[in-house]
Each structure stands twice: as structure tokens, then as C-alpha cells.
Amino acid sequence: MTEEHLLKGWEEFEAGALLFSFEGDPSQRKFHENNSIHHSVADWRVLKPVFNEELCIHCQFCWVFCPDTSIIPKDKKFGEIDYVHCKGCGICSDVCPTNPKSLVMFANQTPIEEALRNWPAKDEKKKENSDG
């Protein structure tokens, strides 16, 4: 693989391309020039994602879809959230497939321990009435 291939922007990948999660030192992550790498957004974020490890299936959807590279995998599993660069957009929570979700948006000022105590319950699917 060439260095040029490794530096492709998101919009330059072909449909069906494989993306490998970042491994190693978070300071070595590659950011797009429009990203918030040089600026903290923690002061104006209203909502933040909170991670519940007990529910995660490590699908890495959150990492793939995060527009700010704020999901940092470790050993091909969910590792941590970079709250300095997370804008609180909620995309990671939206794409999480678990029920209940392993990433849920809470008010930015909510302590993580409190968020985990107040985690939403499993969404029960409504059964369709087969009688008509």
C-alpha cells in the first residue's frame, strides 16, 4: 500500500472500500483540514455520547461514521471517546445497532456515572396484530 493511498480523503474512497480502525498513538491520527483538531469544541457542545461497555458488540459503526474522528478504537474494539474534539452531533448513537444502544447522548454536564445509572431500557418492538 502506498503512502498516497493511505492519505485519501473520505470522499475519495470507492464504494465497498475497507476501512481499518486506527491503532496506536492517538496523537498520530490523520485529520481533515476542516476538522476540529486544532480547536476544542468541548465548551460549546450541548450533548455528549456516553459509552456503555456492557452493551457494545464492537461493530465499529460509531468509528466509521464519526465525522470528527472522535471515536478511538483499541485492539479493534471500542476504546474511548475524544471529548475534546467531539461536537456532540449524535451520529455515533444513531448508527449504534444494539438494543439498548451502547452509545447514548446525554446532556454535556451529566457525569458519566450518572448517565450509566440512568441508561435507557431495551426498546420493545410492538407485535403486529395478526387478527386483522
Side-chain angles (χ1 to χ4, degrees), residues 51-57 102 116:
F51 174 65
N52 187 330
E53 185 174 9
E54 294 176 10
L55 301 170
C56 186
I57 61 173
S102 58
L116 290 171

Side-chain angles (χ1 to χ4, degrees), residues 63-82:
W63 170 79
V64 169
F65 287 96
C66 178
D68 297 306
T69 321
S70 294
I71 304 295
I72 303 172
K74 183 175 182 175
D75 299 326
K76 298 187 175 151
K77 295 183 175 183
F78 187 99
E80 64 181 293
I81 299 169
D82 176 359

Side-chain angles (χ1 to χ4, degrees), residues 17-129:
L18 290 175
L19 300 177
F20 297 98
S21 61
F22 176 82
E23 297 287 334
D25 181 2
S27 68
Q28 300 301 311
R29 289 184 290 164
K30 303 282 187 218
F31 288 87
H32 188 273
E33 63 189 40
N34 295 333
N35 196 287
S36 61
I37 182 62
H38 301 294
H39 308 285
S40 171
V41 296
D43 291 341
W44 58 264
R45 182 180 53 239
V46 176
L47 298 174
K48 69 179 178 188
V50 177
F51 174 65
N52 187 330
E53 185 174 9
E54 294 176 10
L55 301 170
C56 186
I57 61 173
H58 302 289
C59 65
Q60 296 191 0
F61 287 2
C62 54
W63 170 79
V64 169
F65 287 96
C66 178
D68 297 306
T69 321
S70 294
I71 304 295
I72 303 172
K74 183 175 182 175
D75 299 326
K76 298 187 175 151
K77 295 183 175 183
F78 187 99
E80 64 181 293
I81 299 169
D82 176 359
Y83 284 117
V84 173
H85 298 103
C86 172
K87 293 182 178 79
C89 67
I91 291 173
C92 57
S93 179
D94 289 345
V95 300
C96 180
T98 61
N99 183 8
K101 292 185 178 285
S102 58
L103 280 163
V104 173
M105 302 303 288
F106 285 89
N108 193 50
Q109 69 273 17
T110 304
I112 291 176
E113 298 79 21
E114 181 182 330
L116 290 171
R117 282 192 306 271
N118 295 307
W119 207 261
K122 182 176 181 175
D123 288 335
E124 296 298 328
K125 299 197 180 216
K126 294 180 182 179
K127 292 183 180 180
E128 299 216 10
N129 187 350

